[in-house]
Amino acid sequence: MSAADNKKLMETIFAGVTAGDRTLYVDSLADDVTMTVTGQYSWSQTFHGKESVLRDLYGYVASLLKQRRTVPFRFIADDEWVAVEARGDMVTNAGERYDNHYCLIYRIENGKICEIREYLDSTLCERVLGPFPVARQQGAG
C-alpha cells in the first residue's frame, strides 16, 4: 500500500473511532501487533499481540472511563508510517475530565496495523487515571 492508501485507511479508521465505532480499528490490528506507550512512567511499556493490546491496555483504559472518544486533527503519512495527532474527549467514572493530547504513530503492512507508538502527557495520565496496575503489566512485554 502507498503512503496515501495508508493515510486514507487511518482517516477511515478514526472516523469510526470518533463516532464511537472501533470495529474497523480492531479488525485492522495485526495479530502480532506491538504497541509501545513511550516515556518513563508506570504506563510506559510495550504490549505484544492484538489480545494483549485490547485486553491489557485498551480494556483497562475502558474500565476507567464512562466517556471515551479520540478526535484526530492531523494525519501525516510517509511510506508505511502514518502519524495521527489527536485530542482525547474523555470522562472518568468519577466524573473527572481526561482530555489528553496524543501523537500516535502507526506502521501499516498490507492493510494491517503492525506497530503503534503512543506519545502523550504522562503527568496528566498518571494524575487522572492513576498508575498502571502491576497485575496488568504481566500481560505486557
Side-chain angles (χ1 to χ4, degrees):
M1 292 178 62
S2 70
D5 292 333
N6 290 332
K7 181 179 178 184
K8 181 66 177 165
L9 173 64
M10 294 311 300
E11 289 171 338
T12 302
I13 285 172
F14 270 91
V17 168
T18 301
D21 181 3
R22 291 177 166 72
T23 305
L24 182 58
Y25 180 75
V26 170
D27 290 347
S28 296
L29 293 174
D31 289 338
D32 61 349
V33 65
T34 60
M35 179 164 182
T36 301
V37 178
T38 64
Q40 297 180 13
Y41 68 118
S42 68
W43 290 73
S44 301
Q45 57 193 289
T46 299
F47 298 86
H48 298 274
K50 183 176 184 174
E51 185 178 321
S52 177
V53 170
L54 295 175
R55 179 193 62 231
D56 300 325
L57 179 60
Y58 294 150
Y60 178 63
V61 170
S63 76
L64 301 175
L65 301 171
K66 68 179 176 183
Q67 174 187 320
R68 176 174 63 142
R69 197 166 74 110
T70 304
V71 181
F73 59 90
R74 182 170 295 120
F75 294 85
I76 302 168
D78 182 29
D79 295 326
E80 73 271 15
W81 295 95
V82 178
V84 180
E85 196 172 356
R87 282 187 285 274
D89 176 19
M90 304 179 195
V91 179
T92 68
N93 292 329
E96 188 171 357
R97 295 291 314 174
Y98 179 61
D99 298 330
N100 215 324
H101 288 235
Y102 301 93
C103 181
L104 302 155
I105 302 177
Y106 298 90
R107 185 168 58 86
I108 301 166
E109 290 182 358
N110 301 314
K112 291 287 190 179
I113 298 168
C114 56
E115 183 179 348
I116 307 165
R117 297 187 61 79
E118 179 179 88
Y119 299 84
L120 69 151
D121 181 341
S122 58
T123 302
L124 176 64
C125 179
E126 286 208 322
R127 182 178 57 77
V128 177
L129 300 182
F132 195 83
V134 173
R136 288 207 175 250
Q137 292 179 13
Q138 295 171 3

